Amino acid sequence: MKNIRHLLLLLLTAAAFNTASAHYLWIEAQDKWAVGKPGTIRIYYGEYAEGAREEAGKRLEEANGLTAWVLTPGGEKIPLSLQKMNNHFLASYTPATAGKFEIELVNTSREVVDWTQYDIGIVQPTYYAHKPFYAGGSAVSKATPSLSFQILPAEEKAPFSVNKSINLKLLYGGKDLKGKLMVYAPNTWMKELESQEGIYSFIPPEKGMYIIESIYKEKIPGTFRGKAYEAIRHRTTFTLTVQ
């Protein structure tokens, strides 16, 4: 019965958004890395809850133009060289020191789209994503997340554990933003979160990788590459692991 409820929620959510407007970018990488040894970073475009990972030559092309980097504990921003694979973008990075790092990306290159028929309007889609990782046995030194639209833990609390509350906050321009978050679990379980005094909380039901997503429609008209839009549709994701 629980699985049926989860499936119905997934179908209702998918119905609320046309597939064209429902896609987002997310980052996959190991949580623990070794100092001086390369680690692999994969960036996907699609819908994690549905197992949708778009392919090169098809809808993965919508993600062209993204830029990604690693923020080091020392404050450096190291650009990543991305290679387009069959269903993701691939990068590698070698941490030189111990500490907490942040993998971040932004894509502001997508063309203006008319999603009026889905009650979204004419918008310029903009994407953000980030994922932390740890190198070495100590995380005394920590990188500071830098995205203009981002989901962050409300307190430093790693690792995250099954059946223990995870508290998050949503920021735009460094300030708290009241909106909604969607939580996607590895088993297709999903949950919508609303702000409770600036905090968004959920209890993870199982171990694995979770994608947390949010959308903010900034109603400022403009033009991009000669096309007018009514608003910028910001979409961000945060990848976390529950152990």
Side-chain angles (χ1 to χ4, degrees):
M1 181 63 69
K2 183 186 293 184
N3 288 336
I4 293 174
R5 286 199 299 268
H6 291 162
L7 179 59
L8 288 173
L9 179 58
L10 185 63
L11 291 173
L12 288 171
T13 302
F17 296 99
N18 173 265
T19 303
S21 62
H23 279 22
Y24 46 83
L25 289 161
W26 75 91
I27 300 168
E28 296 189 11
Q30 294 294 319
D31 280 353
K32 296 182 180 180
W33 297 30
V35 174
K37 293 186 178 180
T40 299
I41 299 165
R42 292 180 175 86
I43 298 168
Y44 292 94
Y45 178 66
E47 294 174 59
Y48 177 64
E50 297 185 7
R53 290 170 166 82
E54 297 298 345
E55 297 181 354
K58 298 180 181 178
R59 291 197 57 195
L60 186 59
E61 307 307 312
E62 294 174 7
N64 286 343
L66 72 87
T67 58
W69 58 87
V70 171
L71 292 178
T72 73
E76 291 183 275
K77 182 178 178 178
I78 311 298
L80 293 173
S81 177
L82 301 175
Q83 180 181 2
K84 186 184 290 182
M85 309 301 287
N86 177 54
N87 69 347
H88 64 279
F89 295 91
L90 181 68
S92 178
Y93 177 76
T94 303
T97 60
K100 181 183 178 182
F101 295 72
E102 288 282 344
I103 308 165
E104 297 184 335
L105 71 80
V106 170
N107 190 340
T108 59
S109 299
R110 187 165 177 188
E111 297 287 347
V112 172
V113 292
D114 186 350
W115 285 332
T116 303
Q117 61 180 315
Y118 311 116
D119 295 324
I120 295 173
I122 301 172
V123 298
Q124 185 200 2
T126 300
Y127 303 90
Y128 312 80
H130 80 105
K131 185 197 185 306
F133 71 86
Y134 298 83
S138 172
V140 175
S141 299
K142 300 173 183 178
T144 301
S146 68
L147 296 175
S148 59
F149 183 38
Q150 58 187 354
I151 302 162
L152 298 174
E155 63 274 329
E156 191 65 35
K157 186 181 177 182
F160 299 108
S161 302
V162 173
N163 296 325
K164 292 187 177 180
S165 182
I166 295 176
N167 300 319
L168 305 167
K169 55 185 179 180
L170 180 65
L171 302 177
Y172 181 73
K175 298 180 180 180
D176 288 334
L177 180 67
K178 186 176 182 180
K180 293 182 179 180
L181 305 186
M182 285 300 303
V183 179
Y184 304 111
N187 66 349
T188 73
W189 177 89
M190 58 195 301
K191 185 177 179 66
E192 182 180 87
L193 309 180
E194 294 190 0
S195 173
Q196 302 296 326
E197 298 184 352
I199 300 298
Y200 304 79
S201 302
F202 76 99
I203 297 175
E206 67 169 1
K207 296 180 180 180
M209 184 180 71
Y210 287 67
I211 303 299
I212 320 297
E213 177 213 8
S214 186
I215 298 171
Y216 169 51
K217 186 177 178 181
E218 187 178 18
K219 296 181 180 179
I220 298 178
T223 58
F224 180 69
R225 295 177 180 168
K227 295 182 179 179
Y229 59 81
E230 301 166 341
I232 300 173
R233 190 170 188 254
H234 303 277
R235 194 163 200 155
T236 191
T237 63
F238 170 45
T239 305
L240 64 83
T241 303
V242 173
Q243 299 181 4

